[in-house]
């Protein structure tokens, strides 16, 4: 039995923030029904690369889910939605604020048929405030929150974090909120409305930067790979690439000097004798260290760091890390069969459970793959289902393919 077995979620989200949230919950065992418009479906279905006409990227955050393609603008489509919503534990959406009300599927409408529902909204800026009406993609949130000013090389142009970190932060915050609200409902029987935004979620992750600003008025600027409060704690050039060093305290610093770069005199050097002085003279320290690290390949320094007990490692390309024995041993790359794309790979599960081990049970569904199944669950007769298809209320992209 999975941790969230029996929990039913209606998922009206698209792109990444919402789908990432519901992927996390689906991985835990929740039954997630992805509500999609048609014929386009989730906008991420337009993202390349495509295999046999299906987006590989869209399949990634939609594993372990089922897809129901329905026209929520059609009265019969809303009827389908509310039949499912009556039995749902959670409803989640990430439309621009006000959209669900226009569609007639907002929290108040769902609560009218399911008083104990947990309803979650994700948006760019939140449901309140002067910018609530604005749309907000990941890059907008990264710029608005100052994150792009903190990322990149000193003096360079603002840089986007390499992944969609605002989307993922918001999805993570929403998943945490839903789990907490579900625990509350188990205790009290009460549902509730909760909402988060990309901006709120990113700001919540700037905990150290906020401390520096609130405590000392310090504005966080781009530092490349450097740590804001510790050194040596960054990536250094080597003969064939880069090596990361995490000598984050005095004990590790002394080991680094004696055993890794073999410069024991640095321990008493007035420029580097304590952390405050090392931070003050960080440019000089970087030059001194790199003058040594560039003389040998990355593997040499990784071995020396490991031998000395100083945290460090290589700076890999993405393909290199996915092929690494450590990643494979942790089952972070998983293969499964997709009914349209065939054999495919996806990322594994980051949390390992001893008592309720999770599993990637099904690949991301095609658009409308489970429409008929969900209509039957909602109590529709076969003749009614045929009528809904004939009237263009619901959709299945591949009606003649096997379901799984």
């Amino acid at each position: 039995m999975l941790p969230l077995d029996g929990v039913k979620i209606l998922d009206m989200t698209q792109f990444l923030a919402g789908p990432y949230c519901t992927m996390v919950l689906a991985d835990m065992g929740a039954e997630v029904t992805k509500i999609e418009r048609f014929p386009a479906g989730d906008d991420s279905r337009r993202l390349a690369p495509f295999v046999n006409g299906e987006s590989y990227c869209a399949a990634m955050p939609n594993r372990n889910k089922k897809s129901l393609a329905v026209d929520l603008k059609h009265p019969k489509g809303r009827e389908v939605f509310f039949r499912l919503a009556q039995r749902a534990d959670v409803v989640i959406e990430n439309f621009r604020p006000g959209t669900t009300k226009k569609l007639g599927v907002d929290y108040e409408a769902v609560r009218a048929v399911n008083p104990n529902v947990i309803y979650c909204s994700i948006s760019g800026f939140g449901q309140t405030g002067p910018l609530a009406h604005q749309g907000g993609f990941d890059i907008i949130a990264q710029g608005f929150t100052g994150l792009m000013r903190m990322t990149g090389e000193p003096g360079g142009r603002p840089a986007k974090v390499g992944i969609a970190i605002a989307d993922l932060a918001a999805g993570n915050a929403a998943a945490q909120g839903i789990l907490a609200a579900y625990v509350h409902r188990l205790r009290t029987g009460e549902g509730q409305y909760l909402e988060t935004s990309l901006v709120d979620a990113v700001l919540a992750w700037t905990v150290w930067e906020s401390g520096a600003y609130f405590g000392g008025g310090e504005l966080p600027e781009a530092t490349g790979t450097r740590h804001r409060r510790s050194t040596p704690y960054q990536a250094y050039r080597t003969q064939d690439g880069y090596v990361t060093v995490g000598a984050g305290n005095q004990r590790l610093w002394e080991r680094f000097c004696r055993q890794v770069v073999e410069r024991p005199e640095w321990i008493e050097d007035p420029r580097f004798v304590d952390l405050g002085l090392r931070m003050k003279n960080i440019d000089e320290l970087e030059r001194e260290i790199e003058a040594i690290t560039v003389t040998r390949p990355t593997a040499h320094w990784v071995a020396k760091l490991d031998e000395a007990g100083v945290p460090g490692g290589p700076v890999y390309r993405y393909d290199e890390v996915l092929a690494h024995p450590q990643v494979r041993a942790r089952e972070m790359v998983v293969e499964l069969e997709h009914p349209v794309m065939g054999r495919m790979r996806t990322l594994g599960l980051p949390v390992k459970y001893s008592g309720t081990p999770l599993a990637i049970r099904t690949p991301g569904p095609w658009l409308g793959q489970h429409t008929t199944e969900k209509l039957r669950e909602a109590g529709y007769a076969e003749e009614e289902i045929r009528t809904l298809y004939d009237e263009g209320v619901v959709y299945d992209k591949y009606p003649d393919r096997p379901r799984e």
Side-chain angles (χ1 to χ4, degrees):
M1 183 174 180
L2 296 170
L4 296 184
D5 264 350
V7 176
K8 296 182 181 297
I9 298 176
L10 292 188
D11 176 8
M12 294 189 287
T13 69
Q14 60 178 335
F15 271 133
L16 189 54
Y20 182 80
C21 167
T22 52
M23 180 197 78
V24 170
L25 301 174
D27 288 347
M28 294 179 181
E31 182 184 315
V32 176
T33 301
K34 188 173 177 66
I35 306 294
E36 299 189 72
R37 71 183 189 280
F38 58 89
D42 183 332
D43 281 339
S44 69
R45 291 187 181 276
R46 300 199 304 268
L47 300 178
F50 298 96
V51 176
N52 297 331
E54 293 294 304
S55 166
Y56 215 106
C57 290
M60 293 296 100
N62 289 302
R63 67 193 186 197
N64 288 337
K65 303 177 188 178
K66 296 184 176 182
S67 173
L68 165 64
V70 59
D71 182 3
L72 292 178
K73 295 181 179 180
H74 194 291
K76 289 187 177 181
R78 286 193 295 276
E79 180 185 333
V80 170
F81 172 83
F82 281 115
R83 281 212 200 179
L84 293 169
Q86 286 177 328
R87 300 189 303 162
D89 298 291
V90 179
V91 175
I92 179 170
E93 59 91 10
N94 67 346
F95 295 110
R96 188 179 294 215
T99 301
T100 55
K101 190 168 185 63
K102 291 178 182 177
L103 288 172
V105 294
D106 58 312
Y107 172 57
E108 295 300 331
V110 174
R111 189 171 66 163
V113 300
N114 184 349
N116 299 320
V117 72
I118 296 166
Y119 193 111
C120 178
S121 297
I122 303 173
S123 59
F125 290 89
Q127 302 294 313
T128 58
L131 300 183
H133 65 286
Q134 290 192 12
F137 288 124
D138 176 85
I139 195 169
I140 311 302
Q142 288 200 37
F144 186 87
T145 58
L147 192 61
M148 289 175 67
R149 293 284 186 179
M150 307 176 201
T151 308
E153 291 299 319
R157 296 175 62 177
K160 176 185 174 296
V161 176
I163 61 174
I165 196 167
D167 280 332
L168 298 172
N172 184 66
Q176 290 176 351
I178 289 167
L179 290 172
Y182 187 69
V183 171
H184 174 77
R185 198 179 79 166
L186 290 176
R187 291 174 174 169
T188 67
E190 299 172 352
Q192 61 184 298
Y193 177 71
L194 56 146
E195 58 111 347
T196 188
S197 75
L198 275 63
V199 168
D200 294 350
V202 168
L203 284 176
W205 280 7
T206 60
V207 286
W208 277 354
E209 290 72 19
S210 66
Y213 178 70
F214 293 142
E218 178 184 318
L219 288 174
E221 301 290 343
T223 60
T225 66
R226 291 177 179 176
H227 195 283
R228 299 186 192 283
R229 293 286 175 267
S230 183
T231 189
Y233 196 103
Q234 66 181 85
Y236 296 97
R237 286 186 299 120
T238 66
Q239 195 175 68
D240 61 352
Y242 289 86
V243 63
T244 54
V245 175
N249 58 42
Q250 190 66 22
R251 175 176 52 84
L252 292 174
W253 160 247
E254 293 180 9
R255 287 185 187 177
F256 178 76
C257 293
R258 290 193 182 99
Q259 298 173 247
V260 181
V261 292
E262 299 177 8
R263 292 294 189 274
E265 65 273 19
W266 285 358
I267 296 171
E268 303 299 329
D269 191 312
R271 299 172 299 168
F272 310 139
V273 70
D274 62 31
L275 179 58
L277 289 167
R278 289 197 293 277
M279 290 301 298
K280 182 179 179 180
N281 298 293
I282 192 170
D283 291 337
E284 291 180 63
L285 180 60
E286 181 179 295
R287 285 194 294 270
E288 296 269 15
I289 292 174
E290 283 202 338
I292 299 169
T293 56
V294 295
T295 65
R296 297 291 185 90
T298 298
H300 169 83
W301 296 116
V302 171
K304 293 208 70 171
L305 287 160
D306 184 53
E307 183 181 351
V310 178
V315 178
Y316 281 137
R317 297 189 316 265
Y318 192 53
D319 59 335
E320 292 174 318
V321 71
L322 290 179
H324 197 280
Q326 175 65 23
V327 172
R328 295 305 177 118
R330 296 290 293 171
E331 298 182 330
M332 285 306 298
V333 176
V334 178
E335 292 192 3
L336 67 165
E337 195 73 25
H338 190 281
V340 179
M341 291 191 284
R343 199 70 180 166
M344 66 178 298
R345 290 174 294 171
T346 188
L347 296 178
L349 300 156
V351 180
K352 322 301 181 186
Y353 293 69
S354 65
T356 53
L358 309 189
I360 298 173
R361 305 176 301 282
T362 59
W366 72 67
L367 177 59
Q369 181 176 344
H370 304 93
T371 297
T372 299
E373 174 187 327
K374 288 298 169 181
L375 292 172
R376 287 171 179 158
E377 287 181 11
Y380 284 92
E382 295 301 313
E383 184 176 340
E384 292 177 299
I385 293 172
R386 285 194 296 272
T387 299
L388 289 173
Y389 276 111
D390 291 342
E391 293 180 354
V393 178
V394 297
Y395 178 80
D396 183 342
K397 184 177 180 181
Y398 304 112
D400 299 324
R401 282 184 179 271
R403 296 298 92 184
E404 300 295 345

